[in-house]
Amino acid sequence: MIEFFSDAFSSLQQQLFEWLVQPLVFALGGGNLLEDAFNATGWLLVGLLQIAVMLLLIRSLERWRPVEALVDKAAVRVDVIYTLIHRLGLFKLLMFFSLDPIWDSLAGAARVAGLPSFQLDAMWPGVSDLPWVSFILYLLVFDFVNYWLHRAQHAWSWWWALHALHHSQRQMTMWSDNRNHLLDDILRDAVFVVLARLIGVEPGQFVALVAISQLMENLQHANVRLWFGPVLERIFVSPRYHRLHHSIGIGHESAGRGTLGGHNFAVLFPLWDMLFRTANFELRWDATGVRDQLPDEGGRDYGRGFWSQQWLGLGRLFGRR
């Protein structure tokens, strides 16, 4: 089954490349970048498939049982822009031209110095190198690192100044996952690109890991009154579980008004929250946002449009009031 989907994806990637991307690359005089363009076509195809799943399945759930009526559709449209930037490969191109050359130079220097490489799926020959076993191992490692990165975003004042943009959405929908400051995204993605190289994730597996994680996060942010029950809720992060992470106060404060921290940092598996005592399983559907947005708490402006949100994020980062 895995081989069938892999072959089908490869065939679609080849067709999309030959029909759209290759002519465009030649027209722009980038014939020397064909191999990189082919890889970028894979990310483009993944993004298109993700958006199709979002519109067909997750949007249906939002219509079926919404948590709240959408009264600020303009704010949601800005989140759509964030999603398109990320899922159609524009952000990946930025990462490619800025970080990949640096990493390739470092990796080359390490090989010249004779430093050994590491392959996580080679830990238990005959078991950990099975495709589905290695995929689960990589998923757990990525999710564990993601948990601690997420906690850092809420614990360090300078990082929270950027990450607060993600929490400032008062009308959460399936589009809200990518509502982040671009600098925040660069920091996180750089960690995962390096992590993938360090533990030996194959390019195809890396694409699958990112694609599945992103779709799960789209579901978690969806405007749907859905939880997974008392058992599955402790295995997979549900929309209800993650909505508490976005609740005013609970999601971004640990010791009351004005503090940093929060609850429910896990991205895919609540296991990490349970192990490190940051889980909150209350069955409730709170209003979302950041406390200092409220009129009686200062009414801080996080911006209405894409560029204003990015600019104000830099202002918060560098201490502008």
Side-chain angles (χ1 to χ4, degrees):
M1 183 64 74
I2 294 177
E3 186 176 348
F4 169 79
F5 283 112
S6 177
D7 290 344
F9 181 86
S10 297
S11 177
L12 284 173
Q13 181 179 359
Q14 184 66 40
Q15 292 178 40
L16 182 61
F17 176 72
E18 293 177 354
W19 173 70
L20 176 64
V21 178
Q22 184 174 260
L24 182 61
V25 170
F26 276 126
L28 295 174
N32 60 319
L33 298 173
L34 284 180
E35 183 179 349
D36 297 321
F38 181 76
N39 294 331
T41 305
W43 285 110
L44 173 61
L45 180 56
V46 167
L48 292 172
L49 292 173
Q50 286 178 321
I51 291 172
V53 172
M54 291 168 64
L55 293 173
L56 292 173
L57 297 181
I58 303 178
R59 186 69 187 99
S60 297
L61 289 174
E62 289 188 321
R63 291 194 184 99
W64 167 59
R65 204 178 179 195
V67 175
E68 57 187 346
L70 295 182
V71 296
D72 190 357
K73 294 184 179 180
V76 176
R77 285 194 291 270
V78 176
D79 288 356
V80 174
I81 294 174
Y82 281 101
T83 301
L84 294 178
I85 288 174
H86 283 77
R87 303 302 169 85
L88 298 185
L90 300 179
F91 188 74
K92 292 291 186 299
L93 285 176
L94 171 64
M95 296 294 289
F96 170 76
F97 285 112
S98 59
L99 292 177
D100 270 23
I102 298 174
W103 175 254
D104 288 340
S105 298
L106 292 175
R111 284 193 297 271
V112 171
L115 296 178
S117 59
F118 175 75
Q119 297 288 329
L120 180 63
D121 60 5
M123 290 177 57
W124 188 357
V127 177
S128 60
D129 53 359
L130 293 172
W132 67 271
V133 175
S134 63
F135 184 80
I136 292 174
L137 284 175
Y138 290 134
L139 199 63
L140 286 170
V141 170
F142 271 58
D143 200 51
F144 177 73
V145 172
N146 217 347
Y147 170 82
W148 285 107
L149 282 178
H150 200 175
R151 284 194 67 169
Q153 288 173 312
H154 284 249
W156 300 345
S157 297
W158 67 268
W159 209 344
W160 172 249
L162 296 173
H163 186 60
L165 169 60
H166 180 66
H167 281 258
S168 67
Q169 176 57 278
R170 304 298 310 277
Q171 299 262 267
M172 274 179 59
T173 69
M174 65 179 185
W175 304 103
S176 301
D177 173 43
N178 288 121
R179 177 195 174 97
N180 297 304
H181 198 281
L182 294 180
L183 181 56
D184 190 5
D185 279 327
I186 289 173
L187 292 172
R188 288 185 68 261
D189 281 19
V191 170
F192 286 110
V193 168
V194 172
L195 176 64
R197 300 282 189 112
L198 288 176
I199 64 176
V201 181
E202 294 295 329
Q205 286 180 312
F206 183 66
V207 172
L209 287 166
V210 172
I212 291 175
S213 298
Q214 287 177 336
L215 275 178
M216 286 295 294
E217 291 175 67
N218 288 131
L219 175 61
Q220 294 160 12
H221 289 85
N223 178 30
V224 56
R225 192 176 293 270
L226 176 67
W227 74 303
F228 295 161
V231 178
L232 282 179
E233 188 88 351
R234 285 163 171 76
I235 300 176
F236 300 107
V237 172
S238 72
R240 183 220 58 82
Y241 185 88
H242 192 69
R243 188 178 179 90
L244 265 184
H245 175 70
H246 280 261
S247 296
I248 298 174
I250 292 177
H252 56 86
E253 297 171 348
S254 289
R257 181 181 281 104
T259 64
L260 292 178
H263 296 85
N264 297 9
F265 299 105
V267 177
L268 297 179
F269 308 118
L271 166 68
W272 315 121
D273 280 313
M274 292 188 287
L275 281 176
F276 301 109
R277 301 183 179 181
T278 53
N280 185 325
F281 289 102
E282 294 178 63
L283 189 56
R284 48 194 281 187
W285 311 88
D286 296 349
T288 61
V290 185
R291 186 184 296 280
D292 64 9
Q293 285 179 287
L294 304 178
D296 56 350
E297 297 283 352
R300 185 170 217 165
D301 180 19
Y302 281 83
R304 294 287 297 171
F306 176 86
W307 290 112
S308 66
Q309 290 170 0
Q310 297 298 306
W311 178 250
L312 289 169
L314 292 176
R316 292 190 301 274
L317 175 63
F318 293 110
R320 199 171 121 197
R321 295 290 180 265

